[in-house]
Amino acid sequence: MRGSKLSLNHKRSWLGVAFITPWLLGFVFMFAAPLIQSVKFSFSKLNVDPSGFTLEWVGWSNFNNALFVDATFNRVLTESVRDMVLNVPMILFFSLFSATLLNQKFRGRVLARAIFFLPVILASNAISAAEASGLINLVGDATAVNELGQSGSQYNVMSMVMILSDIGLPLSFVDYIVDAILRIYEIITSSGVQILIFLAALQSVPGAMYEVAKIEGATAYESFWKITFPLVSPLILTNVIYTIIDSFTGSKVTQMIFTTAFTTQNFGLSAAMSWIYTLIISIVLIIVGYFLSKRVHYN
Amino acid sequence: MQAPQSVQPAHREANHHRVHKLKGKAVDLLYALFRYALVIGISFIIIYPLLMKFSIAFKDKADIYNPTIYMIPVHYTMDNIRMAMQILDYFPLLGNTLLFVVVTTVLTTASCALAGYGFARFSFPGSNILFALVILTLLVPTSTLMVPMYLHFRSFDIMGIIHLFTGRSGINLLNTYWPSMITSATAIGLKAGLFIYIFRQFFKGMPKEIEEAALIDGAGGVKTFLRIMLPNAVSPMITVILFCFVWQYNDTFFTSLFMSEIALMPTKVSSLAAQANALLPGLLGVGGGSGVKADPNHVAMIIDTGILLAILPLITLYMVVQRYFVESVERSGIIG
């Protein structure tokens, strides 16, 4: 038999290949092939006909159109990248903060945890789309006006801006904080998974370390920065990457690429747009990854 | 004279100690209060929309323009729920969606567990590069693959086999369940890279001796995986199944791309507003026609009720399993 002539190691590696075969097939046919096709599309004009499609080589003109001719793409792209860059630190800060909070012992912790992870389940584009259209329905009638009035009286942002700038904080930083407060709902609802990851990391920190620190006279503040933070820091990179990936589906650029492809039927342009987007995201990821991995403490 | 002098400092010491302890207690109490305020505040922000939807679902039409009502309606009714159910065609829709989501979840979990085990325990040439490619599948925005995938499933064909046999250029799989089935069975669907990663981390952490023992006892690789590794991998399975279920249930991107004409919860919910606007006058019995327009506030109520109905199964599921949720994530080894 030929099978028995194979060495054990050889057999093992073939078995390994067998285990990953489903993924490998998927990767080749559902990922690599479309990826290469997408590159091709971005350099061509694509005409769909009933039996398939034909390609017409147009060079860089799709990229040219996306960046310099299309009226809104530049704006939408910079806006959503800016939103992403602004959101990431806020989400990180909030999720680490909540995870530390939920890791402490207090009555009702189980309930609090259950509520904090609820957004993982409820974060749905379908729901936000339906809610938005519900609001559009409402605008211009009594309750909407009432609600707008209420939200105006609820909290006066200006007073806070005054206080913060009186303290002497730079105006751009004040802007950032005020923006964070106004978007608190968005930030809270998009940090469910991140809280979960941080919490799991916090639970794996050995309790003996805190005891030692306490005996040595460290305050809670010190033990957070000297023990907790270094030990969860590898997860910061994970969370940054997750937050960025998570922002793809809801982002305006994705919507724009979608409508360009399926409403305007300009497949080439949409492929070019998506490649520009991918490129910018990867630059952001590389920069973030480079800076974080230099500072992260690995044990 | 000698004795009191030595007692005095000791007494002062004790007093000082007591004050210190009291101060510590006060700080602890203040901190606990502060913590409760924070936790309750954030929890309120999270569940407020949900509470609002519950309140609206049972609110009667008569209460819409009553400004004194906050949360608890004066007139109760089941009309909203009944109408939203009628507009959504709720139970057939829910059954359809659940079937679809369960099948894709099972397929994804199976294929990702296989791939995760393959990457964790076997070394073959290029295994590290291939695993890097798994991570790459996560990092590429889905919009990049959207058009090629769409065209691919529009005339589906693997290496010209179908063309060879039937002479046609592939089968149109759009608006069938097949695109999602195929992508989940081949572990390339919704965030599948993350699931492979979770399984790999977990299997890497399991002791090698178990497998060696199984090998000596005569179990083959497949048998070892099915009988020994998989039953031990309950926590990553729960994590993956939960996330996969929820993300599939909520996904609008792939469903609207591949299955825009099939009635599934996400697509139905996102078009709820238009549907409610069109169907509400008919349901109220005032007759259709272009001149009749439903009260926008009433439409908004129906939409809120519809959203509540859509997320109700998820909330129920979550209430049942949330105890295992955090624990399973902790044990599944995401944190490597």
Side-chain angles (χ1 to χ4, degrees):
Chain A
M1 284 228 323
R2 268 189 67 201
S4 58
K5 272 182 191 162
L6 290 168
S7 75
L8 198 64
N9 271 337
H10 234 90
K11 242 181 176 170
R12 290 280 295 170
S13 29
W14 278 112
L15 197 61
V17 175
F19 270 113
I20 66 157
T21 302
W23 172 79
L24 201 61
L25 282 176
F27 179 79
V28 171
F29 290 109
M30 305 291 153
F31 186 84
L35 203 67
I36 294 164
Q37 260 191 328
S38 173
V39 178
K40 249 194 251 165
F41 289 173
S42 65
F43 290 106
S44 347
K45 188 174 170 9
L46 191 145
N47 299 310
V48 178
D49 53 57
S51 62
F53 56 86
T54 53
L55 289 175
E56 197 181 306
W57 182 262
V58 291
W60 290 94
S61 86
N62 281 325
F63 287 91
N64 195 38
N65 281 343
L67 284 174
F68 304 113
V69 180
D70 194 283
T72 51
F73 180 68
N74 273 329
R75 193 169 50 79
V76 172
L77 183 69
T78 41
E79 256 173 31
S80 73
V81 171
R82 194 201 63 202
D83 276 356
M84 192 182 80
V85 169
L86 287 181
N87 267 341
V88 166
M90 286 193 231
I91 289 174
L92 271 187
F93 174 78
F94 178 76
S95 51
L96 184 56
F97 178 80
S98 314
T100 354
L101 208 62
L102 291 176
N103 196 34
Q104 292 162 358
K105 284 193 178 63
F106 56 91
R107 200 171 289 168
R109 180 171 77 155
V110 176
L111 182 70
R113 280 187 179 183
I115 292 172
F116 271 62
F117 302 136
L118 206 56
V120 177
I121 284 172
L122 303 183
S124 152
N125 294 320
I127 290 167
S128 49
E131 266 170 353
S133 52
L135 268 182
I136 289 164
N137 251 317
L138 276 176
V139 166
D141 72 84
T143 353
V145 174
N146 222 349
E147 271 178 5
L148 286 177
Q150 262 179 10
S151 69
S153 66
Q154 256 171 9
Y155 195 74
N156 192 354
V157 182
M158 257 339 264
S159 67
M160 205 178 74
V161 175
M162 299 287 216
I163 292 168
L164 286 176
S165 63
D166 275 351
I167 297 173
L169 290 174
L171 207 59
S172 57
F173 188 66
V174 173
D175 267 353
Y176 186 69
I177 290 180
V178 170
D179 193 40
I181 289 166
L182 290 180
R183 281 200 289 175
I184 190 82
Y185 182 72
E186 192 189 323
I187 290 163
I188 289 176
T189 51
S190 48
S191 32
V193 175
Q194 289 88 330
I195 295 175
L196 206 60
I197 293 174
F198 273 139
L199 192 61
L202 286 177
Q203 306 246 310
S204 71
V205 177
M209 278 188 154
Y210 293 108
E211 276 162 32
V212 170
K214 210 171 180 184
I215 291 165
E216 297 284 332
T219 60
Y221 181 79
E222 279 166 345
S223 58
F224 175 82
W225 286 108
K226 294 278 156 68
I227 302 172
T228 314
F229 193 72
L231 284 179
V232 300
S233 59
L235 274 307
I236 291 178
L237 185 61
T238 315
N239 269 341
V240 168
I241 292 173
Y242 180 80
T243 312
I244 291 175
I245 294 169
D246 206 33
S247 72
F248 291 160
T249 35
S251 102
K252 285 212 179 77
V253 180
T254 310
Q255 269 167 32
M256 194 172 170
I257 293 167
F258 192 89
T259 47
T260 311
F262 295 106
T263 316
T264 332
Q265 302 272 325
N266 198 338
F267 295 107
L269 182 63
S270 111
M273 281 174 174
S274 66
W275 275 107
I276 294 168
Y277 185 49
T278 312
L279 213 65
I280 285 174
I281 297 278
S282 20
I283 290 169
V284 171
L285 278 175
I286 288 167
I287 293 171
V288 169
Y290 178 74
F291 279 104
L292 280 180
S293 60
K294 274 176 89 176
R295 277 151 208 274
V296 156
H297 162 101
Y298 287 103
N299 43 335
Chain B
M1 284 309 277
Q2 208 74 322
Q5 253 181 358
S6 67
V7 164
Q8 197 82 13
H11 187 69
R12 203 185 295 153
E13 183 100 314
N15 220 3
H16 182 77
H17 198 71
R18 205 176 300 142
V19 168
H20 196 77
K21 218 172 169 183
L22 217 66
K23 218 170 110 189
K25 254 192 179 155
V27 169
D28 276 357
L29 188 74
L30 266 179
Y31 178 65
L33 278 178
F34 174 67
R35 187 169 57 197
Y36 271 116
L38 263 176
V39 169
I40 292 170
I42 296 170
S43 304
F44 181 73
I45 292 177
I46 294 169
I47 52 174
Y48 175 75
L50 213 60
L51 288 179
M52 266 328 253
K53 285 194 183 69
F54 265 109
S55 131
I56 286 169
F58 295 104
K59 202 194 238 175
D60 195 87
K61 236 175 22 186
D63 285 358
I64 291 177
Y65 294 103
N66 186 346
T68 59
I69 289 174
Y70 179 73
M71 285 286 192
I72 301 162
V74 176
H75 302 94
Y76 292 93
T77 175
M78 295 296 274
D79 276 359
N80 292 333
I81 294 176
R82 221 180 40 238
M83 272 181 219
M85 276 187 174
Q86 238 172 318
I87 290 171
L88 282 174
D89 197 10
Y90 187 65
F91 288 108
L93 176 68
L94 186 65
N96 223 358
T97 313
L98 283 183
L99 184 71
F100 167 73
V101 172
V102 166
V103 173
T104 45
T105 303
V106 169
L107 284 176
T108 308
T109 313
S111 58
C112 290
L114 282 175
Y117 184 62
F119 281 118
R121 273 297 199 255
F122 300 94
S123 59
F124 41 89
S127 60
N128 285 332
I129 297 169
L130 285 178
F131 186 67
L133 292 177
V134 172
I135 303 301
L136 183 75
T137 60
L138 268 177
L139 297 179
V140 172
T142 34
S143 54
T144 315
L145 302 174
M146 183 179 71
V147 174
M149 292 273 259
Y150 179 82
L151 293 172
H152 190 63
F153 284 118
R154 191 164 157 271
S155 49
F156 184 75
D157 202 351
I158 298 168
M159 295 186 289
I161 293 170
I162 292 162
H163 182 72
L164 201 69
F165 282 112
T166 61
R168 283 184 302 156
S169 58
I171 330 163
N172 187 351
L173 290 183
L174 292 177
N175 289 319
T176 66
Y177 292 124
W178 285 109
S180 284
M181 299 292 147
I182 291 169
T183 50
S184 14
T186 52
I188 212 81
L190 206 62
K191 289 186 184 163
L194 188 65
F195 303 142
I196 296 179
Y197 178 78
I198 290 174
F199 274 121
R200 175 181 177 262
Q201 291 295 90
F202 181 84
F203 285 131
K204 257 192 134 82
M206 275 176 84
K208 265 213 158 81
E209 287 76 18
I210 299 177
E211 275 167 304
E212 279 158 16
L215 202 68
I216 290 166
D217 285 348
V222 180
K223 207 172 175 186
T224 316
F225 175 69
L226 289 177
R227 290 280 172 81
I228 292 158
M229 297 311 261
L230 220 48
N232 280 309
V234 176
S235 20
M237 290 248 267
I238 292 178
T239 314
V240 168
I241 288 175
L242 265 179
F243 276 118
C244 189
F245 188 91
V246 167
W247 284 335
Q248 280 288 352
Y249 191 92
N250 282 335
D251 169 57
T252 45
F253 189 81
F254 286 109
T255 42
S256 60
L257 185 62
F258 296 136
M259 290 166 282
S260 50
E261 282 163 32
I262 292 183
L264 286 174
M265 202 59 96
T267 40
K268 266 279 203 196
V269 167
S270 31
S271 65
L272 190 60
Q275 294 254 345
N277 257 328
L279 295 176
L280 204 55
L283 287 177
L284 288 174
V286 286
S290 55
V292 184
K293 201 170 178 304
D295 178 359
N297 274 317
H298 194 195
V299 172
M301 262 167 88
I302 301 291
I303 290 170
D304 271 343
T305 316
I307 293 171
L308 185 69
L309 286 175
I311 57 181
L312 213 53
L314 285 183
I315 294 175
T316 326
L317 174 82
Y318 180 67
M319 279 175 170
V320 177
V321 296
Q322 64 88 10
R323 275 194 298 135
Y324 310 104
F325 203 54
V326 181
E327 288 167 25
S328 70
V329 173
E330 274 157 22
R331 290 199 214 113
S332 66
I334 290 186
I335 42 172

